[in-house]
Amino acid sequence: MATDFDLYGTDTPAPVAAGQGAEKEPGLVYGSAEEFLHEQLLPTYVRSVTVKSAKWCIEWYFHPEAVSRVAALWRSWEHLRLDPKTGMSVWWKDHADHHMRVLLDPQGPFYNCDMKEHRYPEHLEPKKAPAGWFPDVRALQA
């Protein structure tokens, strides 16, 4: 009998190799961060998005921070869905709630966009630190 969790790929057992009894590495439910965003994250993480309370950009993929956070959400979901005890709770508490709060923050990565139009954000401009402050650790490993 299927549970509600089965509908969302959260109760998927790891496949067993035929005749071996050994567990194989389970496959991914979603093939990309974008597929995960459209099919899992946004349909389940429903919020009121207004200019004052939250911001979203319909062209979210033009925001490197958003892409990185959505990819992190996807990968952590793929890993934690395999924990039948507290995996989803951990994912919501430690990953979804954290990253979505940052993504939707009016001062977050979509601060310059509105629901209908993407506007490229202004990037922070760093100044190089004085020589020697941040040595290349790769050279120390050699």
Side-chain angles (χ1 to χ4, degrees):
M1 180 173 167
T3 66
D4 289 342
F5 290 112
D6 293 330
L7 298 173
Y8 298 106
T10 57
D11 204 16
T12 307
V16 176
Q20 303 243 341
E23 292 185 15
K24 289 173 72 176
E25 186 74 24
L28 297 172
V29 173
Y30 301 103
S32 69
E34 181 180 33
E35 182 183 9
F36 170 77
L37 177 83
H38 286 280
E39 294 186 20
Q40 174 66 33
L41 183 60
L42 295 184
T44 57
Y45 200 95
V46 179
R47 297 291 187 272
S48 173
V49 178
T50 65
V51 175
K52 289 185 179 186
S53 67
K55 298 280 277 196
W56 182 257
C57 180
I58 59 171
E59 294 181 300
W60 64 276
Y61 41 82
F62 283 129
H63 299 267
E65 179 183 354
V67 170
S68 183
R69 288 182 182 277
V70 170
L73 286 167
W74 168 47
R75 292 300 186 162
S76 61
W77 184 91
E78 290 283 2
H79 175 75
L80 289 167
R81 73 181 173 85
L82 300 172
D83 176 353
K85 295 180 179 141
T86 61
M88 284 296 94
S89 180
V90 169
W91 181 79
W92 280 103
K93 178 181 70 72
D94 292 346
H95 300 277
D97 290 341
H98 170 74
H99 289 295
M100 291 303 288
R101 192 174 298 116
V102 173
L103 285 172
L104 295 174
D105 187 294
Q107 297 301 314
F110 307 130
Y111 74 94
N112 206 27
C113 299
D114 61 36
M115 289 295 292
K116 295 178 175 97
E117 183 181 3
H118 165 73
R119 294 184 190 104
Y120 285 96
E122 295 177 27
H123 292 277
L124 300 174
E125 293 296 328
K127 183 176 178 182
K128 288 280 189 180
W133 280 33
F134 297 97
D136 188 333
V137 296
R138 296 171 293 188
L140 301 175
Q141 295 173 343

